[in-house]
Amino acid sequence: MGVSVIDLQRKIFVDIVRSTAPGEWKVFVLDEGSKRLVDNVATVDEILNENVTNIEQIEQKRPMNKDMDAVYLLTPQPHVVDCLMADFERRRYLLDPDSRGRIMESAVAREQIAVFKILNIDFFPRESHLITFRDPWSFPILFHPACNRLIRKHMDDLAQKIVSVCVSLGEYPVIRYYRPPNPSHEASVLCSHLSRFIQDELDQYAQYHEDFPPPSNRPRGALFITDRSMDLFSPLLHEFTYQAMAHDLLPIREGDKVLYKTVVNEGEANEQEKDLEIGEKDKIWVENRHRHMKDTIEKLMGEFQKFIDENPHFTNSDGNANSLNAIKDMLAGLPEFQELKEAYSLHLTMAQECMNIFQQRKLPDLASVEQSLATGLDEDYKKPKNLAEQVVRLLDDENITASDRLRLITLYLLCRNGLLPADTQKLLAHARLPPQDGEVIHNLDLLGARVQKRLKDTKSAISPLFPRKQAPSTISEEYALSRFSPAIKSMLEDHIRGDLSQALFPFAKPHLDAPDGLAGQTNISSQASLRSAKPTWAKSKLSSVEPRQRIIVFVAGGATYAESRACYEVSRATSRDVFLATSHMVTPSLFLRQLGDLSVDKRKLDIPAERPKPKAPAHLFERDEPPPPPPPPNPQPSTLQRPAVPSKGPAPPTAGVQAMKINSNGSEGSQRTNGAAGSVTSAPSS
């Protein structure tokens, strides 16, 4: 595919360091937040290669270095500004309007700042086309009934981050948002309000930056604002593509890095447990993460068999990699290929663990019913029969875990558009689930789901947002368990065809370059770019090499790995870049836990926005101890008198001599003789 948002952000960081005091040696100063941004996309070597002697963190104790230039990359938080002002006051060697004003009003700061620039980079590229804000707290802020006081500030933060994504991509997109067809919950206006916040931020940015958007012959981009309530099935279903299945079933740890603990050099003397990173640098992961698990295993085995055929001297066996265990045994004979061994060992172990759980927890039987509930169609693409009996039978099965039983009940309730309260209690009793799990189901109404209905309810089932797809000509047994398609995929496909409903996805403001009577209609095949000198109607057809429209999708409240895969699939099928941005990635277990938290006392959630604001460390304001006084000079003998015979006097000042330093400024590395100059760069964040 085209551009990678990881490469884009890395280039921004490297370019800002390179362009500041070019050719001169300097120190790169970060804070805790900006350090996470830089570490996510760039290595230490990539920064040091730009004439950087050292990378320092502003909150930590650092040596004075008055002869060295400094490049500051800071987030606009009050305590970080305090740290920066402490550096200026001590002459140790940006920001929102309030912070910038505070700095620029300081005479001490003005005389030391050489360059001041604001960067819109406050987001974390996770994959080439997947962006997160690493903010799982966004879900309770947006949907918890007691968090209304926090929503306005959070909307501002989200809007600024989304605008940062657009600016980094060089896109001034047309904005459309999800409007629920039958709103029944307080958060039904979430997407509408957020789209207006984003539109205002974008318009303001364009007003003060004449070079935005940059010249391009691409059609104007599109930004879709959706939220978790648009598709409640996706975070509950069992997925059988590699990435989604692994994150659902395996103990993968997500933080600044995505790690999985596995055993390397198994069966050897140097066998050890090791945390291995799963990310864009892992080519095996990137090539297979969106494949069905069956295809992933076949490809891993095929690639390894090819390697054995090309290097037969690495195995004493017949070289038949016909099972996962056989391949793992062969890996032990490849000491010269340690990196290859670790990569294959990691993914073979993960694939094997997934398949073991797949069989142990009877996921084929469970997934078959789940797919019928989510799609409203059975494996023959006909109306399913006896769903209630199938659900009850699975709830009684001891091999089905408690978490899977809760997911099944939730899917059944969504399929039936609500249940009688007595029926819900019976299902929970069948499933032998604790009463608090009933809160998880009840809280679905905060996301727009209908949870309860009366005995003689005449309301018909809610129609799906998008028409059900026709049955394919052929379908294998394995793929019958993957019939469900996330709503995001249907939205993107309708948009690209030019027939996406404006009632369901209205525009944040009228599309002014559209023909009269069709304001907002954006048929891609005939759309003219606001930045293009030549309109597309002058071309007979869209050529294969013509730049295509970029699409950005934002999911408030968390996105699933199935939705990420859907964006990649549309991107490949239509030869255009589709970027998915979200507050955080959602797994089924996390979604159930966050649903349950919506009825917990807000004070118990410990939401970061309500914690005491961090303060600058006290050591930044401490003055250095004065240097020890110089030792008294020795008396010089007179040239006119014969020197007296020395008598026993006071001991020599050995302590003072030992305290003397050849380099009194305490700096390390290269030094400059000219005056210090600082460059302050801001990474806007919440």
Side-chain angles (χ1 to χ4, degrees), residues 191-203:
C191 295
S192 173
H193 290 336
L194 182 56
S195 67
R196 293 190 183 95
F197 277 61
I198 298 168
Q199 188 71 67
D200 291 344
E201 286 284 339
L202 266 175
D203 292 345

Side-chain angles (χ1 to χ4, degrees), residues 17 47 54 66 94 114 119 183 246 281 361 444 489 528 549 565 568 606 643:
V17 176
I47 301 298
N54 195 23
K66 295 186 178 182
L94 244 184
L119 300 181
K281 297 177 182 177
R361 290 164 50 174
L444 282 168
K489 186 172 186 179
Q549 181 193 48
R565 171 178 52 81
Y568 278 99
D606 189 29

Side-chain angles (χ1 to χ4, degrees), residues 414-486:
L414 293 173
C415 173
R416 296 292 301 272
N417 193 27
L419 295 171
L420 297 173
D423 289 345
T424 302
Q425 293 303 318
K426 289 178 183 176
L427 290 174
L428 289 170
H430 259 294
R432 302 176 298 283
L433 295 175
Q436 56 265 33
D437 283 346
E439 290 295 314
V440 175
I441 296 173
H442 177 74
N443 290 341
L444 282 168
D445 66 350
L446 297 172
L447 275 73
R450 189 179 179 215
V451 176
Q452 297 182 1
K453 62 181 179 181
R454 291 188 292 271
L455 183 60
K456 295 183 179 180
D457 193 291
T458 57
K459 285 187 178 180
S460 58
I462 296 179
S463 301
L465 290 179
F466 301 95
R468 293 191 175 100
K469 297 183 178 180
Q470 299 296 321
S473 55
T474 59
I475 185 168
S476 65
E477 182 179 352
E478 293 87 355
Y479 291 99
L481 303 180
S482 302
R483 305 190 306 277
F484 174 79
S485 179

Side-chain angles (χ1 to χ4, degrees), residues 13 78 86 104 112 121 136 191 232 358 366 370 388 410 425 438 458 466 483 489 510 519 524 552 651 669 675:
F13 288 135
M104 299 313 293
Q112 297 179 70
I121 50 171
C191 295
L232 294 175
F358 181 77
L366 185 62
E370 288 179 351
T410 306
Q425 293 303 318
T458 57
F466 301 95
R483 305 190 306 277
K489 186 172 186 179
I524 305 308
I552 306 168

Side-chain angles (χ1 to χ4, degrees), residues 213-231:
S216 171
N217 58 350
R218 283 191 311 274
R220 188 177 184 182
L223 170 62
F224 288 92
I225 306 301
T226 70
D227 69 71
R228 188 63 272 152
S229 69
M230 190 176 89
D231 188 348

Side-chain angles (χ1 to χ4, degrees), residues 598-625:
L598 295 183
S599 54
V600 172
D601 188 329
K602 178 171 66 76
R603 292 170 294 183
K604 296 182 179 179
L605 298 180
D606 189 29
I607 297 175
E610 296 192 315
R611 296 172 187 167
K613 299 301 180 185
K615 296 182 179 180
H619 66 78
L620 292 176
F621 304 95
E622 296 173 355
R623 296 297 177 183
D624 292 335
E625 295 182 3

